[in-house]
Amino acid sequence: MPQTWQPKPPTPSPSYSTGWLGWARKNLFSSPGNALLTLLSLAVLLATLPSMLRWGLWDATWLGDSRKVCDSAAQDGSAGACWVFIKVRLEVFLYGFYPEAQRWRVNFTLALLGLAALPILAPTLLRGTLRQTLFALAAALLMLATFGMPCAIFTACYLLLPLALPPLVRQRPFLELFAGRLAGVSAGLFLTALAATLLYFAAGQAGGGGAAGPIAVTGAILVVFLIFVGRLTASAWRWILLFTVYPLAGFFLLVGEVFGLPLVETHFWGGLFLTLVVAGTGMATALPIGILLALGRRSTLPVIKTLCVFFIEFVRGVPLVSVLFMASVMFPLFLPENVTFDKLLRALVGIAFFYAAYMAEVIRGGLQAIPKGQFEAAMALGWPYWKMMALIIMPQTLRLVIPGLANNVLSLLKDTTLVAVIGLLDLLGVAKASMADTEWLGFTKEAYIFAALVFWVFCFAISRYSVYLEKTYHTSQHYN
Amino acid sequence: MTTPAPAATTARQAIITITGVNKWYNEFHVLKDINLEVGRGEKLVICGPSGSGKSTLIRCINRLEVHQQGRIVVDGIELTNDVKRIDQVRRETGMLFQNFNLFPHLTVLENLTLSPVWIRKMPLKEAQELAFHYLERVKIPDLAHKFPGQCSGGQQQRVAIARCLCMNPKIMLFDEPTSALDPEMIKEVLDVMIDLASSGMTMLCVTHEMGFARTVADRVVFMDSGEIVEENDPQTFFNHPKFDRTAAFLSQILNH
Ligand SMILES: Nc1ncnc2c1ncn2[C@@H]1O[C@H](COP(=O)(O)OP(=O)(O)O)[C@@H](O)[C@H]1O
Ligand SMILES: [Mg+2]
């Protein structure tokens, strides 16, 4: 008769750290070498930090609205920074030379981007239809208070559309519409509702002509997706709107000449606003192109593969500055005389393709890390190539390469400063231009530090966001 | 219209017919003149030493590998480079892999519903009901919201079986489904396979589980260096192998 066996009960793991003293001993003074490094770092901090803080904060001039304040402070013996310079110039730093009366358009476009992207960027924050609806209504109210009725209506339509589409749209609504099924009715209802909203928006803006164009384009895009894709989830619709309706709306809002908005040509654009436009469109276009290039480079079709390899290797072989020069100086030479493209547009295209090549290589690295079995399992289940890539392989690949892509996005954001070489004034360009202002000579440090700080804030946010993404998707757990 | 079945040479109507198939990897002749017929509802076990071409053979049946000579006909569809036909054949077949190949970024439930929803255009609700039905059948309904990485090997393989079943295949191909599992988990997977066999599914199974072959198989095929050496019913196969090569293999695998 064998004995009964009892497993031992688990005991808590021994803990070595007690309080901050224990923490310091473990992390700062764990060995003589580490202790020495800690003390050295401390010495460096003590030597530099106080004078930096004194210059930047305590001795700095914050109040006032002209150069005199800083000059008199300097005569009184204070050697601090003159932040008045930044304060006076802030609007130019943010908007460049965008007409003052029209700057609300920039604010609204960026606010709409934030509101449109939030449910996508932080999926865990806004879970469930109820919360998302409330979010849309709150956002609309906020817009009503800040920008007025038409903006509020547009915001509400934009944010509620992805929630309204899934229950209204059945499988392939248009095919069924002609087959006279019930789903067709809901598709018809939906289209009527869509047309009505758009018309209402147009009527609300009225006044100026030319509203039909953008509305028709928006409607056409939605209809194309409805016909070819059919039923989709709310989050899929959000992505679609973000990449179709939002850029259109943003373009028309910023450029104007529709909805009664006056035209603002792109050479008035500048400052942080221009930096964000270039970086935002750069990221949004470079990633999809990069994905296609990466897939192309792995293609079994020799023509496609060669083209992709050639393109990637060519772009990686030249500096971005020369790509921008080519886009702005050489490219127009090859065009017929009466055809011109906007200079900003050319720079955007150049940056997009430049970074697409780099992202393609990052993504290709991720693709190579996906086990062959994933492709085989998908193919054995009957997945055709593009669907398999879009829904099974790419989601895994992109999760794997989050750190690499974050790297690319960060350097893209900072490389937008290079548009200065073709005469576009981004944040850094505006800062430099302000230094040359005869009224404010001698405040280069302040301008550079301000620009650096703004860039740092954005870059740090992106970098933290990439960490958040990695955590949400538990990337590290997938292949063990 | 159904035509009367021709005077049957085999007891069942054939669902897979492989005639004169040859395949090379560069210079390496991996399949040599393979002829095999599998009847509807038949359970076929394929065994043989490592590197004998078993995986290659069953992967040719759903075109994960391309054969260079001969014909493979699955449920009346001959496999060619025609994408449509490949697609049709893959609709009829499900495949199990040695290392499961679940999609690691999706939960178990999403693994099961993704293909019905996107490939078969099934409404999500219906697909979820189907998924739970098959999760019950493989006895792990409580794992629905876990990720594959949180499941044991045996559980993952059972999820993989359920994932195939959700696509309602007529033929299941198994490529050493239990070889990556600990002994304690092999049984739970084999039990599911036995249950599946009793439901009348056509099964081609590459395995070294000779107990399974004895109880479930209608026929056992022995392969070596790219050839089918012999095929027979399990009784005869195990007790009176025709060739000394088969006997040597069996003695190795049965008394180790
Ligand atoms: N992609 C490939 N390229 C070259 N040789 C291969 C490839 N796949 C398999 N082989 C070779 O083909 C032979 C048969 O492989 P396989 O069908 O996997 O055997 P089994 O499954 O019976 O162990 C092995 O010798 C293997 O090395
Ligand atoms: Mg094998």
Side-chain angles (χ1 to χ4, degrees):
Chain A
M1 178 76 193
Q3 287 173 297
T4 1
W5 173 80
Q6 279 289 341
K8 287 190 187 115
T11 53
S13 88
S15 160
Y16 295 104
S17 52
T18 47
W20 65 270
L21 212 70
W23 179 87
R25 188 170 296 159
K26 189 174 149 214
N27 292 294
L28 301 177
F29 301 99
S30 58
S31 72
N34 275 352
L36 195 70
L37 275 179
T38 303
L39 290 176
L40 244 152
S41 318
L42 215 62
V44 170
L45 279 181
L46 277 176
T48 54
L49 207 56
S51 58
M52 266 159 66
L53 288 178
R54 207 175 314 124
W55 180 83
L57 296 177
W58 292 303
D59 287 355
T61 316
W62 297 88
L63 302 172
D65 50 11
S66 77
R67 180 175 180 126
K68 289 192 201 103
V69 197
C70 294
D71 286 343
S72 59
Q75 270 157 21
D76 294 348
S78 138
C82 175
W83 297 124
V84 177
F85 170 44
I86 305 297
K87 222 171 68 184
V88 170
R89 287 283 172 157
L90 191 61
E91 297 264 295
V92 179
F93 277 76
L94 295 183
Y95 302 100
F97 306 102
Y98 209 89
E100 232 173 297
Q102 303 298 323
R103 283 180 188 159
W104 68 270
R105 282 154 61 177
V106 175
N107 294 342
F108 176 60
T109 310
L110 290 178
L112 187 63
L113 176 62
L115 294 171
L118 192 69
I120 294 175
L121 295 181
T124 45
L125 208 67
L126 291 167
R127 199 167 267 160
T129 316
L130 180 67
R131 271 197 217 180
Q132 287 164 3
T133 314
L134 288 177
F135 168 72
L137 295 178
L141 275 180
L142 189 72
M143 293 295 113
L144 180 65
T146 336
F147 301 105
M149 199 45 154
C151 291
I153 292 176
F154 186 74
T155 310
C157 289
Y158 184 96
L159 294 177
L160 290 174
L161 202 58
L163 296 171
L165 282 170
L168 281 175
V169 183
R170 301 290 178 78
Q171 207 75 57
R172 306 261 171 166
F174 282 79
L175 304 182
E176 292 178 21
L177 181 67
F178 295 120
R181 302 235 186 95
L182 191 69
V185 181
S186 62
L189 274 178
F190 157 71
L191 274 185
T192 322
L194 182 70
T197 355
L198 289 173
L199 277 179
Y200 179 77
F201 178 52
Q205 289 292 339
I215 290 178
V217 174
T218 313
I221 288 174
L222 287 176
V223 168
V224 164
F225 272 96
L226 282 170
I227 291 178
F228 289 103
V229 189
R231 192 192 169 89
L232 285 172
T233 59
S235 73
W237 278 115
R238 259 185 216 117
W239 278 105
I240 292 172
L241 290 191
L242 188 66
F243 274 84
T244 55
V245 176
Y246 177 77
L248 267 174
F251 174 79
F252 287 119
L253 269 167
L254 294 174
V255 177
E257 231 184 357
V258 285
F259 302 133
L261 299 171
L263 174 71
V264 181
E265 284 181 67
T266 54
H267 58 255
F268 290 111
W269 300 17
L272 179 62
F273 157 56
L274 183 72
T275 300
L276 293 181
V277 167
V278 175
T281 43
M283 288 166 203
T285 45
L287 186 60
I289 301 174
I291 291 175
L292 291 181
L293 282 173
L295 294 178
R297 193 166 183 170
R298 282 168 57 100
S299 165
T300 45
L301 303 172
V303 180
I304 292 179
K305 185 180 166 138
T306 317
L307 276 178
C308 291
V309 171
F310 184 81
F311 178 82
I312 291 173
E313 296 307 334
F314 172 75
V315 168
R316 293 208 300 176
V318 295
L320 178 56
V321 175
S322 65
V323 171
L324 288 174
F325 259 123
M326 270 196 281
S328 89
V329 184
M330 308 266 289
F331 181 63
L333 297 180
F334 300 120
L335 286 176
E337 250 173 53
N338 46 0
V339 180
T340 53
F341 283 105
D342 187 79
K343 186 154 74 171
L344 175 61
L345 181 65
R346 277 179 270 144
L348 288 179
V349 173
I351 289 183
F353 278 99
F354 186 84
Y355 270 94
Y358 282 88
M359 290 187 181
E361 287 299 280
V362 171
I363 291 163
R364 195 168 65 91
L367 276 171
Q368 266 155 356
I370 305 290
K372 215 169 126 236
Q374 292 290 313
F375 295 84
E376 289 174 350
M379 287 193 288
L381 285 164
W383 287 77
Y385 180 82
W386 285 108
K387 269 192 188 170
M388 166 175 85
M389 284 300 167
L391 285 150
I392 296 174
I393 305 299
M394 268 307 143
Q396 295 183 51
T397 309
L398 293 180
R399 279 159 215 218
L400 275 178
V401 298
I402 287 170
L405 284 183
N407 242 351
N408 279 337
V409 165
L410 288 176
S411 67
L412 191 162
L413 178 62
K414 287 179 283 191
D415 277 358
T416 56
T417 51
L418 292 176
V419 296
V421 302
I422 57 168
L424 295 172
L425 292 183
D426 73 316
L427 176 61
L428 195 65
V430 167
K432 274 181 156 171
S434 311
M435 293 168 205
D437 185 345
T438 43
E439 195 188 327
W440 287 96
L441 282 176
F443 293 110
T444 40
K445 260 189 272 179
E446 284 83 348
Y448 275 128
I449 288 176
F450 175 72
L453 264 178
V454 173
F455 272 107
W456 181 81
V457 166
F458 277 94
C459 291
F460 188 66
I462 291 174
S463 138
R464 293 320 296 171
Y465 179 63
S466 86
V467 172
Y468 161 83
L469 275 185
E470 271 181 68
K471 277 195 185 138
T472 355
Y473 292 126
H474 313 285
T475 319
S476 51
Q477 288 177 17
H478 285 166
Y479 311 96
N480 43 12
Chain B
M1 275 234 334
T2 50
T3 47
T9 42
T10 48
R12 302 165 206 258
Q13 192 194 350
I15 192 167
I16 301 174
T17 318
I18 300 173
T19 24
V21 163
N22 279 286
K23 178 173 172 60
W24 291 264
Y25 284 122
N26 299 324
E27 288 304 299
F28 180 60
H29 199 167
V30 58
L31 293 180
K32 300 173 189 162
D33 192 30
I34 302 285
N35 291 290
L36 186 67
E37 207 163 84
V38 185
R40 209 172 277 275
E42 188 174 355
K43 280 82 189 144
L44 188 77
V45 162
I46 303 172
C47 61
S50 173
S52 56
K54 310 178 294 293
S55 301
T56 311
L57 176 61
I58 70 163
R59 288 156 62 88
C60 281
I61 293 171
N62 66 354
R63 201 66 170 187
L64 286 184
E65 300 286 352
V66 179
H67 61 282
Q68 283 135 339
Q69 269 179 16
R71 301 181 63 197
I72 299 179
V73 181
V74 180
D75 204 18
I77 308 153
E78 180 173 358
L79 277 167
T80 60
N81 280 330
D82 183 0
V83 184
K84 255 211 185 105
R85 292 180 180 208
I86 297 173
D87 193 52
Q88 281 175 329
V89 167
R90 285 181 183 166
R91 264 168 190 268
E92 315 258 298
T93 53
M95 185 173 226
L96 262 284
F97 300 86
Q98 189 174 337
N99 36 15
F100 333 129
N101 293 338
L102 294 179
F103 305 134
H105 62 302
L106 301 176
T107 62
V108 165
L109 185 62
E110 289 164 339
N111 261 283
L112 266 59
T113 54
L114 195 72
S115 309
V117 167
W118 284 95
I119 307 297
R120 293 289 151 80
K121 307 275 177 201
M122 192 184 281
L124 183 63
K125 279 254 165 55
E126 207 175 301
Q128 282 173 343
E129 278 163 26
L130 190 71
F132 273 109
H133 168 75
Y134 283 117
L135 280 179
E136 299 272 358
R137 180 143 168 210
V138 298
K139 302 184 184 67
I140 38 175
D142 42 327
L143 291 184
H145 300 288
K146 290 240 161 79
F147 281 91
Q150 299 165 314
C151 304
S152 74
Q155 291 167 337
Q156 288 191 50
Q157 194 61 291
R158 285 186 284 161
V159 173
I161 294 175
R163 181 174 70 173
C164 285
L165 294 179
C166 281
M167 294 298 272
N168 193 23
K170 290 186 188 154
I171 305 163
M172 289 281 277
L173 309 169
F174 296 83
D175 192 357
E176 308 203 27
T178 55
S179 304
L181 298 178
D182 296 338
E184 279 188 76
M185 298 174 190
I186 291 179
K187 190 178 170 303
E188 61 189 46
V189 172
L190 288 182
D191 283 346
V192 169
M193 288 170 61
I194 291 167
D195 171 53
L196 199 59
S198 67
S199 75
M201 176 78 71
T202 308
M203 290 165 67
L204 267 79
C205 192
V206 176
T207 183
H208 295 139
E209 292 300 324
M210 289 306 145
F212 175 81
R214 261 183 219 276
T215 52
V216 175
D218 297 316
R219 202 155 39 118
V220 183
V221 170
F222 175 67
M223 284 183 74
D224 191 12
S225 58
E227 285 176 73
I228 292 183
V229 178
E230 65 171 287
E231 47 178 292
N232 228 324
D233 63 277
Q235 282 303 321
T236 332
F237 180 83
F238 287 111
N239 300 336
H240 310 288
K242 267 183 267 180
F243 291 94
D244 53 347
R245 181 67 191 93
T246 320
F249 174 76
L250 284 177
S251 72
Q252 281 233 317
I253 204 163
L254 294 175
N255 330 303
H256 58 97

